[in-house]
């Protein structure tokens, strides 16, 4: 830390993303897809497209916005693009919190929410999930603060039905409810259909997980025209050209091939089911994840140890050194081969574990 750092940020701790090693590991730690983007994406990224990198991109990404609006059955004024959904979350905290408005989110959820609140000096309350990690909807009724919920939640994978989110929207008419749907395509219900009915709903989505393009950095939000205008006010003041031309082109080509995605989402759901069954047979306990990851622990071996043993075996998973979930691992659903390697490594570790 230099002596120049803003006083307010001295004790502040940044978000720590999952490790991105340059190779050598079976990578099941950041919920990337084991599939490439649809074939139309590589066809679209032509030398001619690359030559046009001398020009700024369209700051509104109108062509991609129109495609996403059509895909979700909303108007183009209800859609906004961002550089990954993390950027959209950042814009949302800046736009809808502060000046006396705080934020509420679960105690076990995406760690970035707490970091953003800290970065912007926004007071926040963490609502404890129930013992089984489910959200108690009654905690979020009339809270007088911006509500931020990941649905499905991360890292638990547990999803709320749309009617529960609707109850939260109806009970907080004076506050924005941000629903982070990073994992919704893997088997949960989306709130996108509520956008026309609730002017306080902001649905945040990403191309990183269910559109197999984490490297492109593309996210978007769906919300009332007024909310979208507010978010654009922030974006135009922070980084007007936040999405590069190649990513916009890739995003458009990807939006043209929903059939490819639908098919692969079903494959990932099947992969999740089969991996859960195999782990359960080894004695693992897990949540009913609707995401592209498992959230699991083994009663006979501490999470820290299991994480380290898997790492030694060349398999990277994610563990959060936090109260309540320190014994759990979050394991991305990878390819069939990757899951076979995971199961083999786990069975060897459990066999050898001396304190079993
Ligand atoms: C991965 C993730 C995101 C952010 O992803 P981007 O790559 O920035 O789009 C947002 N929310 C949750 C819950 C996530 O798991």
């Amino acid at each position: 830390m230099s002596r120049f750092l803003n006083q307010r940020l001295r004790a502040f701790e940044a978000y720590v993303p999952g490790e991105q090693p340059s190779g050598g590991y079976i990578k099941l730690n950041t919920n990337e897809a084991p599939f490439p983007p649809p074939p139309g994406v590589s066809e679209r990224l032509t030398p001619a497209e690359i030559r046009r990198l001398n020009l700024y991109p369209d700051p509104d990404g109108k062509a991609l916005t129109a495609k996403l609006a059509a895909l979700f059955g909303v108007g183009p004024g209800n859609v906004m693009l961002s550089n990954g959904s993390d950027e959209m979350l950042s814009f949302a905290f800046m736009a809808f919190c502060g000046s006396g408005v705080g934020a509420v989110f679960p105690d076990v959820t995406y760690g970035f929410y707490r970091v953003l609140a800290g970065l912007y000096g926004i007071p926040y309350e963490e609502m404890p999930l129930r013992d089984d990690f489910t959200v108690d909807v009654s905690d979020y009724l009339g809270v007088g603060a911006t509500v931020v919920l990941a649905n499905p939640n991360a890292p638990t994978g547990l999803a709320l039905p749309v009617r529960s989110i609707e109850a939260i929207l109806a009970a907080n008419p004076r506050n924005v409810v941000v629903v982070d749907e990073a994992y919704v395509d893997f088997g949960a219900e989306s709130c996108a259909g509520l956008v026309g009915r609730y002017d306080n709903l902001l649905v945040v989505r990403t191309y990183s997980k269910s559109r197999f393009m984490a490297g492109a950095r593309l996210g978007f939000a769906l919300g009332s025209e007024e909310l979208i205008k507010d978010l654009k006010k922030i974006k135009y003041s922070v980084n007007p050209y936040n999405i590069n031309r190649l990513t916009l082109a890739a995003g458009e080509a990807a939006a043209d091939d929903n059939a490819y995605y639908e098919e692969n989402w079903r494959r990932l759901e099947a992969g999740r089911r089969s991996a859960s069954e195999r782990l359960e047979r080894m004695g693992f306990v897990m949540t009913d994840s609707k995401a592209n990851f498992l959230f699991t622990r083994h009663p006979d071996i501490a999470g820290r140890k299991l994480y380290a043993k898997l790492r030694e075996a060349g398999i990277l998973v994610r563990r959060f050194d936090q109260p309540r979930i320190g014994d759990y691992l979050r394991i991305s659903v990878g390819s069939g081969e990757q899951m076979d390697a995971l199961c083999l490594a786990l069975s060897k570790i459990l066999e050898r574990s001396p304190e079993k």
Side-chain angles (χ1 to χ4, degrees):
M1 181 170 31
S2 81
R3 64 187 196 278
F4 306 108
L5 184 67
N6 180 332
Q7 190 73 45
R8 197 169 58 74
L9 296 179
R10 293 194 175 192
F12 169 73
E13 281 188 47
Y15 179 70
V16 182
E19 232 179 302
Q20 306 297 349
S22 53
Y25 283 101
I26 293 177
K27 208 173 160 297
L28 301 174
N29 68 332
T30 51
N31 302 337
E32 292 141 313
F35 310 119
V41 171
S42 11
E43 287 157 26
R44 180 68 196 273
L45 300 179
T46 57
E49 201 74 66
I50 290 164
R51 279 196 295 275
R52 279 193 289 274
L53 283 175
N54 62 318
L55 304 174
Y56 278 109
D58 171 6
D60 282 318
K62 283 187 281 296
L64 176 54
T65 299
K67 277 187 196 287
L68 292 173
L71 198 58
F72 287 91
V74 296
N78 300 117
V79 181
M80 177 176 152
L81 310 175
S82 59
N83 189 313
S85 57
D86 284 342
E87 185 184 56
M88 189 66 78
L89 292 167
S90 168
F91 291 163
F93 272 80
M94 275 195 255
F96 308 124
C97 300
S99 306
V101 179
V104 293
F105 39 81
D107 62 337
V108 177
T109 191
Y110 187 37
F112 205 62
Y113 308 149
R114 189 187 315 127
V115 170
L116 286 173
L119 178 64
Y120 299 132
I122 295 159
Y124 61 94
E125 190 176 353
E126 296 176 282
M127 300 288 187
L129 294 176
R130 295 194 187 98
D131 287 344
D132 63 358
F133 299 127
T134 54
V135 170
D136 186 345
V137 171
S138 67
D139 284 347
Y140 295 88
L141 305 180
V143 288
T146 299
V147 174
V148 187
L149 288 171
N151 194 43
N153 196 11
T156 65
L158 295 174
L160 285 172
V162 164
R163 67 184 145 70
S164 300
I165 308 258
E166 194 165 2
I168 294 170
L169 285 161
N172 292 282
R174 293 159 171 278
N175 290 100
V176 173
V177 176
V178 178
V179 183
D180 180 349
E181 293 191 341
Y183 300 104
V184 79
D185 291 320
F186 301 113
E189 294 178 37
S190 174
C191 289
L194 299 181
V195 162
R197 270 187 281 157
Y198 293 91
D199 66 357
N200 58 334
L201 168 64
L202 188 75
V203 177
V204 176
R205 307 278 293 234
T206 176
Y207 269 65
S208 296
K209 315 286 167 52
S210 64
R211 293 187 187 267
F212 318 161
M213 284 175 45
R217 311 306 304 129
L218 185 59
F220 59 100
L222 307 169
S224 70
E225 293 196 5
E226 291 73 24
L227 288 189
I228 296 297
K229 278 190 195 137
D230 295 343
L231 290 163
K232 286 202 175 177
K233 188 171 185 171
I234 307 279
K235 163 203 144 106
Y236 273 90
S237 312
V238 173
N239 188 7
Y241 302 107
N242 55 339
I243 305 157
N244 72 74
R245 296 185 79 94
L246 296 180
T247 291
L248 287 172
E252 283 172 42
D256 285 336
D257 200 349
N258 234 39
Y260 174 87
Y261 285 123
E262 297 275 355
E263 184 193 327
N264 284 305
W265 295 337
R266 301 299 83 85
R267 280 168 74 186
L268 283 169
E269 278 183 59
R272 179 181 69 217
R273 267 195 303 277
S274 108
S276 318
E277 285 163 12
R278 290 165 81 180
L279 264 61
E280 269 165 358
R281 282 199 291 273
M282 289 183 230
F284 281 87
V285 178
M286 62 197 85
T287 59
D288 181 20
S289 172
K290 299 291 183 219
N292 66 335
F293 55 79
L294 303 175
F295 191 57
T296 185
R297 69 180 171 83
H298 198 284
D300 300 337
I301 183 161
R304 182 188 298 277
K305 181 163 178 194
L306 194 51
Y307 171 87
K309 293 269 172 207
L310 277 174
R311 207 190 151 92
E312 271 170 38
I315 299 176
L316 266 191
V317 300
R318 192 98 202 254
R319 176 180 168 267
F320 300 91
D321 201 5
Q322 271 176 39
R324 300 185 71 183
I325 58 169
D327 272 332
Y328 280 81
L329 300 181
R330 192 197 67 190
I331 306 176
S332 309
V333 177
S335 66
E337 270 175 19
Q338 289 176 319
M339 299 326 266
D340 287 347
L342 169 81
C343 291
L344 183 65
L346 286 173
S347 61
K348 283 187 187 159
I349 292 166
L350 290 169
E351 254 168 48
R352 288 184 203 146
S353 175
E355 69 269 57
K356 236 181 89 173

